Amino acid sequence: MYNDLDRILITSDQIQQRIAQIANTLDNDYADKNPVIVCILKGSTLFFSDLVKNMKIPVVLDFISISSYGKATKSSGEVKMIKDLSESIENRHVIVVEDIVDSGYTISYLVRMLSSRNPASIKICSLLDKPSRRQVEVAPDYCGFEVEDYFVVGYGLDYDEKYRNLPEIGVLKPEVYSGK
Ligand code: IMP
Ligand code: MG
């Protein structure tokens, strides 16, 4: 898999250090709130599990799955629900955990959809943010790293379902996805 990378952008140690900081901030912000932490399948799974392991307050875990790009490297703007949450979020404090906010279509759709269920609050926690590519006005409330306009893989992020299990985040060589 490493042959397909131009370079490593964020090392495993850097990821873990940043996650410990975010977990600490969430512990403070959500003390006594018993928040529902929502993992967006599949990209957020590694971030989500390391994040909740670092948190010391009680939390409820839930999972949601929405359509991704498939083989394309750009969002179509069309988002489809594949698997819904298993519990009600009415009057609950919700933290949506995302791998990356790129165009912003996915997360803004999700926040709009979940907000209609009357949660007490809803915030976005994203490992990565690519603000230069934004199409809709949305920003993560908690963010691990800002990245430039590269297609990145690893630590949950895929291209065509590959590279998710890399422990670090790397820049995919353009020739791997060019022409798609
Ligand atoms: P958005 O709807 O354009 O904000 O895209 C969000 C989703 O697209 C993320 O949850 C990722 O699954 C995927 N995505 C966006 N940029 C990248 C990238 O650089 N690498 C891998 N997946 C990405
Ligand atoms: Mg994806």
Side-chain angles (χ1 to χ4, degrees), residues 38-107:
V38 173
C39 176
I40 308 178
L41 300 170
K42 305 169 196 169
S44 313
T45 47
L46 279 72
F47 176 42
F48 174 85
S49 83
D50 282 334
L51 183 68
V52 298
K53 272 190 283 181
N54 275 271
M55 291 177 72
K56 294 182 176 63
I57 59 167
V59 297
V60 169
L61 310 184
D62 211 340
F63 300 82
I64 197 165
S65 181
I66 48 186
S67 66
S68 66
Y69 296 175
K71 276 199 182 184
T73 57
K74 289 192 178 71
S75 188
S76 59
E78 281 175 41
V79 183
K80 192 177 83 193
M81 165 102 70
I82 295 162
K83 182 217 166 290
D84 204 346
L85 298 174
S86 57
E87 312 270 338
S88 166
I89 54 167
E90 194 172 354
N91 297 322
R92 303 297 306 261
H93 294 279
V94 176
I95 305 167
V96 181
V97 177
E98 178 61 301
D99 53 359
I100 184 166
V101 181
D102 187 44
S103 69
Y105 286 127
T106 309
I107 199 70

